[in-house]
Amino acid sequence: MKKVEAIIRPERFEQVKKALEEAGYTAMTVYEVRGRGEQRGIELQYRGATIRVDLIPKVKIEIVLESDEDVERVVRIIAENARTGRPGDGRIFIIPVERSIRIRTLEL
Amino acid sequence: MKKVEAIIRPERFEQVKKALEEAGYTAMTVYEVRGRGEQRGIELQYRGATIRVDLIPKVKIEIVLESDEDVERVVRIIAENARTGRPGDGRIFIIPVERSIRIRTLEL
Amino acid sequence: MKKVEAIIRPERFEQVKKALEEAGYTAMTVYEVRGRGEQRGIELQYRGATIRVDLIPKVKIEIVLESDEDVERVVRIIAENARTGRPGDGRIFIIPVERSIRIRTLEL
Amino acid sequence: MEGLDPGAVAWVLASTAMVVFMSLGLGFFYGGLVRRKNVVSTIMLSFVPVALVTLQWVMVGFSLSFGRDVLGGFVGFDSRYVGLAGVGVGEVAEGTGIPLLLYAAFQGAFAAITVGILSSAFAERVRLAGFMLFALLWTTLVYDPVAHWVWGGGLLHRFLVERLGAAPLDFAGGTVVHITSGFAALVLALVIGARRGFGEREFPPHNIPLVLVGTAMLWFGWFGFNAGSALAADFSAANALLVTHVAASSGALAWMLVAWRRGRPGSLGFASGAVAGLVAITPAAGYVDAVSAIVIGAVAGVLGYYMVLYRLRRGLDESLDAWAVHGMNGLWGSIATGIFARSSVGGVGGLLEGNVAQFAAQLVDAAVAIAYTVAVTYAIAVAVDRLVGLRVSETEEYVGLDISQHGEEAYAWGGE
Amino acid sequence: MEGLDPGAVAWVLASTAMVVFMSLGLGFFYGGLVRRKNVVSTIMLSFVPVALVTLQWVMVGFSLSFGRDVLGGFVGFDSRYVGLAGVGVGEVAEGTGIPLLLYAAFQGAFAAITVGILSSAFAERVRLAGFMLFALLWTTLVYDPVAHWVWGGGLLHRFLVERLGAAPLDFAGGTVVHITSGFAALVLALVIGARRGFGEREFPPHNIPLVLVGTAMLWFGWFGFNAGSALAADFSAANALLVTHVAASSGALAWMLVAWRRGRPGSLGFASGAVAGLVAITPAAGYVDAVSAIVIGAVAGVLGYYMVLYRLRRGLDESLDAWAVHGMNGLWGSIATGIFARSSVGGVGGLLEGNVAQFAAQLVDAAVAIAYTVAVTYAIAVAVDRLVGLRVSETEEYVGLDISQHGEEAYAWGGE
Amino acid sequence: MEGLDPGAVAWVLASTAMVVFMSLGLGFFYGGLVRRKNVVSTIMLSFVPVALVTLQWVMVGFSLSFGRDVLGGFVGFDSRYVGLAGVGVGEVAEGTGIPLLLYAAFQGAFAAITVGILSSAFAERVRLAGFMLFALLWTTLVYDPVAHWVWGGGLLHRFLVERLGAAPLDFAGGTVVHITSGFAALVLALVIGARRGFGEREFPPHNIPLVLVGTAMLWFGWFGFNAGSALAADFSAANALLVTHVAASSGALAWMLVAWRRGRPGSLGFASGAVAGLVAITPAAGYVDAVSAIVIGAVAGVLGYYMVLYRLRRGLDESLDAWAVHGMNGLWGSIATGIFARSSVGGVGGLLEGNVAQFAAQLVDAAVAIAYTVAVTYAIAVAVDRLVGLRVSETEEYVGLDISQHGEEAYAWGGE
Ligand SMILES: Nc1ncnc2c1ncn2[C@@H]1O[C@H](COP(=O)(O)OP(=O)(O)O)[C@@H](O)[C@H]1O
Ligand SMILES: Nc1ncnc2c1ncn2[C@@H]1O[C@H](COP(=O)(O)OP(=O)(O)O)[C@@H](O)[C@H]1O
Ligand SMILES: Nc1ncnc2c1ncn2[C@@H]1O[C@H](COP(=O)(O)OP(=O)(O)O)[C@@H](O)[C@H]1O
């Protein structure tokens, strides 16, 4: 079992969610985060000077999946729909999950 | 070492916290998330039509524990206290942790 | 590949971020959390009685790193800059990451 | 302009605007107190009545309240008042120096806020459609008749004058506004039932600064509410403004201090105490002096505090405490007027000046208003519940009324 | 004090304060509707004009608007009005009982809010410097001339009186304020272009309670706006206040109900409908009665709703709907005045009393104002865009205007 | 009603309400500037004085300020004023057309806001109990005497008239309100000490829209503050309203522009500049014309900006800049009144008209007020600190004052 953690642009979240849903992946946990990548945020030119804005708002999506194929597919869907080609598109991390318990049924 | 990640109903959080505390598990990190499960959220009937409300607010609890017995016990406490038996009760995921450092003492 | 998850005092976040940046670690994802440790929060004396304030606001930093040396260095930098020596300084957890995908380039 | 007192007009114009402002402000006071998922809905429970009751008032309410006695003085009626169509622009309200149209507008603002206040009992669980129907029926069948009795010279007024030789004193609506809305809220809480989870877990207020913004608007607007009720820019208005501010101040401090004895003094206690003081001074504002206002406000603050505790102990989910704060302090204010009224202030003395009749008139007036309100509110609530339903479904309540009733989310998630 | 009517002065003093308050309040109405990263900027688009236009007004605007005809009545001019330096403190405004300085202050508040309204089209993408230059030019070249024509007895006024035998009626600025700002916004939306992402994704309002706080301030202030325009505390002011409240109420309910038919009734629809009703009654407030106000407001609410749908269908990013709500309802209000005016209210009858000339005057007045506004706004916008740039860079827009234009973050992150 | 001027009464009624409203509004201005964990506390530091000082004022403050000279004119006293118990409802305030009770209420609102302003220095670290005791002592020992000297015809007034032949001019409280509170804040910042972490890290404002809501309330209320101080609806009130708005506008723009030169122009600079302009025009509002107001406001904005920079460079944690904005601009306003006063406006000329005595009177008046304030504030602060403690414990400060002093959390966490 794996957890897919994707950090994406907020303005792409709806598109990503929809694409996942269409592919049958509805379950997810999401929250607002802030981040910067290796570009150290975004540069603004302000009257000659350069101002760096870091910690840009992002949305983080977490999806726990059973099979590796699902992981592969989910990664692809997220990446394709979150990508703009410009810095700040985000990252996806795959993290091992040992167990998953459904609280409602206490089933594993 | 394991990290227990539990996504529960906000209205059950206080009860879960109290139960954990009574069992001696005080340490935790929590934050507000939103999520949906396989039910794709909640359905409202609105004048004939069905409206789907997804991304329901949830609370996520993270507890890092040394021993597997502790994990077992914490999972049980959370599940028992978070359960209502209706969809949306949430999930618990167990994630491996390689190391834990206490910042105050730099002790592992 | 590892994910460093550090839960620190909000008032130390800027200092930690700066120290990381100076050491060349710019990429990170951060969010606001609340937490308590084994001390079960902070005690206030109020006219004789003791009031316990738990779930103190914290900031959580997540940094995914390739090499173990980087992990070592990042942990040290965070710990040194987040430490006050008083309860509530926080924790750092190291979590295995199986893969990382850069959405912009789809590169691993 | 014959008969017009421009100073009076200026003040009542401003006062009307202020009362409308506080009616909307009530929405923030209430809205900050509820859970995040119900804030838009709760604000709307104050906003919608402003619009709805204003139209009802123009079409029928003013006529029912201030028309000539019909049905033996049970309500009033005046065909000229229907749609205000027969009222000349140049007509002066009898016994005042202001236009009749302004008088109608000012009084209409009172009718609107009364419905807003009672929405306390509906918070976080009422169906919008049910609420709107209820609001229309209630303002017509409860507010208008009671306004007619107390201010329109109707049934109760005449009865008290005949039997006790004393007309009930209600300067700005202690009985008409606060007793009716507060006791209606009590009944409604019983009819609609508690919010799911009430008593099992806490419902902490989601946004205290918003509550305090509402408090500021209420405090400000109340000067128009009370001092505007002098219907003139005169000595009486000045006294009303002063005692209003004093009672709010002492109410706020009293509640804060009494709460302090049991724990820490919250801002919500301060705010509730201010409102309690404002409510209690409302019927008295034209009749008592500043020192009495300190006492009236202080009692109101303490009373409000204990009434909230009491209703919590009784497990009653009258959610935003319209009963404890408005109902009980409307009652206290009415009684206090009967006690502290001074002939040197408003021409009538109270119990302290030996005027037992006045005291009795206040009691009877309040008692009748309570009894009538309780009975008719109950009937309307049950009828509306049968007819269109007062309460949302369990799922709708769970999801929150902002989404289920309004299709809106108060604070955007995941926004840019 | 010769010629002074203290009641009138009291009311216009209060009204001026109220109009300034609502001008600032507009910032919250608009600010809550945008994305979190642009809220400070959006509020500032209402706040900055209050300061900027006030200074322009004192230095030249009042003279251009209310000076004696120059350029054949295209604008006015009076050297005494420059800096108000030649106006004696003890001077009374002609035909009123209030000081000329107060008249200037009251009118200046109208000029300021007009610029705030049109900022709707600039939201979330305008450069602050470009906006400020635009604001100065626009208020000078559009607002001031139109104000002169309609209120200052200028060109258009004389033309209509001569040709149609009817002076255009605009009690409180349906044409001068709402048509100009609304249609300017339409033009500006085309010149500045849509926000990036508009049409591809939703931009949900980030803070609805803030919108509703702004709504409360607008509703309150509008009493000063409309009833203050009587420039006296008299029968006309009373009528204006009443019909203003009634039209706001029926506008709010109408929009809510028409939206309800298609889905759930949002608070934003209620708020927009209230504003629509307030806009539509603005030119009519001194001329129509309460029942007409219900109709005018209801039509305004429905009209506003469909105009918003229309501009969305047209893919036009006139972001906060100044055109749909202010422009189109300014137009409707102007026409409605020509229809519903009653001689028994304001001395002039409309179409319903057979006065075709008045109806025609209203149409021509509005049409000319629209044509002039569209043309000159376009010219100014293009010029400013060339000169200093109206729009921020793509990166600045992405990061948000709060950071890029103001260096501020509205809601602190990670704070203690 | 003998001697009553209804227009004056209407305006001062409205003004009193407006000043109370702005006193509460100050809480939001300050509250938005602090960290999330202290917002309730900071708002309460403005709200609590409204209640507390109102009661003090009714019981003793009005008597001390406006009673007949005792102790050689150091303070006043009038037994009739204690509890206002001896003041007849029908009594007119000497030299005005308004009831004495209204005069007392209006003046009391000034006393209350003054304490709110100085709470700037206490923000995020004061013990509620200590603050309340301090507030009571300070208003009695500093505000009341200074008010008596400047407005009550007391010591300083007589001294200046005798020695310089010129009475100090302070139309609405530049000295009495702003100099006293601003310089008190300076002293208090030194006594209570900086917030933990000050100078080491930033404390960004947690909610800028809330600050701007407070700004709107202040701007609005200030019209009552300044123009209400005419105590009539007359030419002087009109002039005061106009110059107040103009100075606020030019102050806002000046601060914004001067800040722009060094970086991006923040909304907080705009808001602070507006307040700076409002403060500076306060003593001058009845004496200067519009063009002078532009200058006075502009200087105020620039001065405020540099004073904030200066106190930051000095490492002084006068947290919300009451000193820089109110203290220094109260001083500048007092001086400016001595420079720009025009006989054609308020009957007295300033330096520009060659009246050196008036200029000197302004300087001496301000200097004495500063010296007295500094000395007595220091003594009270130290005494209160010893007696009950002014500052919370380190842990309480860490957790935040909302929880530690009020047991409340401003924005609920984890809510539904
Ligand atoms: N090494 C990392 N660890 C944690 N989060 C990261 C890391 N790299 C990127 N992120 C997250 O992804 C977001 C986008 O990263 P960024 O580097 O800007 O994208 P890109 O790689 O396409 O330029 C960042 O804002 C941050 O939240
Ligand atoms: N596969 C998953 N990955 C991530 N989060 C999940 C997953 N499944 C459920 N969740 C989280 O758990 C919450 C409750 O899940 P839900 O499926 O509604 O509960 P139940 O399984 O009892 O119906 C969701 O809102 C979501 O936040
Ligand atoms: N076992 C744990 N699991 C999850 N989070 C933890 C755990 N222990 C500590 N934390 C987080 O770290 C924060 C600081 O911990 P605390 O125990 O107060 O620090 P210290 O160990 O220095 O006393 C807590 O508020 C909580 O968010």
Side-chain angles (χ1 to χ4, degrees), chain A residues 27-29 62-65 102-104, chain B residues 7 33-39 56 58 86-91 93:
Chain A
M28 61 172 69
T29 299
E62 298 186 354
I63 306 179
V64 174
L65 298 160
R102 187 186 296 272
I103 292 174
R104 175 159 52 92
Chain B
I7 297 138
V33 300
R34 302 204 155 202
R36 58 180 192 186
E38 271 123 42
Q39 289 75 16
I56 310 289
K58 302 277 170 190
R86 273 164 300 138
D89 275 354
R91 295 273 198 143
F93 305 119

Side-chain angles (χ1 to χ4, degrees), chain B residues 3 27-30 62-65 100 102-105, chain C residues 7-9 33-41 55-56 58 86-91 93:
Chain B
K3 178 161 73 158
M28 62 173 67
T29 299
V30 296
E62 298 186 353
I63 306 179
V64 174
L65 296 161
S100 156
R102 186 185 296 274
I103 291 175
R104 176 158 52 91
T105 54
Chain C
I7 296 139
I8 65 167
R9 297 180 187 274
V33 301
R34 304 205 153 201
R36 58 180 193 185
E38 270 125 42
Q39 287 76 16
R40 308 204 283 132
L55 300 185
I56 310 290
K58 303 278 170 190
R86 273 163 301 139
D89 277 353
R91 296 275 198 141
F93 304 119

Side-chain angles (χ1 to χ4, degrees), chain F residues 373-388:
Chain F
T373 298
V374 166
V376 181
T377 302
Y378 181 78
I380 301 173
V382 170
V384 171
D385 198 23
R386 299 255 162 93
L387 232 64
V388 304

Side-chain angles (χ1 to χ4, degrees), chain E residues 119-139:
Chain E
S119 77
S120 158
F122 285 149
E124 313 201 76
R125 56 205 187 278
V126 75
R127 282 193 61 209
L128 180 61
F131 172 70
M132 289 176 71
L133 180 56
F134 175 85
L136 272 181
L137 291 172
W138 191 89
T139 198

Side-chain angles (χ1 to χ4, degrees), chain E residues 342-364:
Chain E
R342 281 173 161 265
S343 8
S344 63
V345 174
V348 193
L351 202 57
L352 293 184
E353 294 188 4
N355 187 349
V356 183
Q358 189 61 50
F359 183 68
Q362 297 302 110
L363 287 179
V364 175

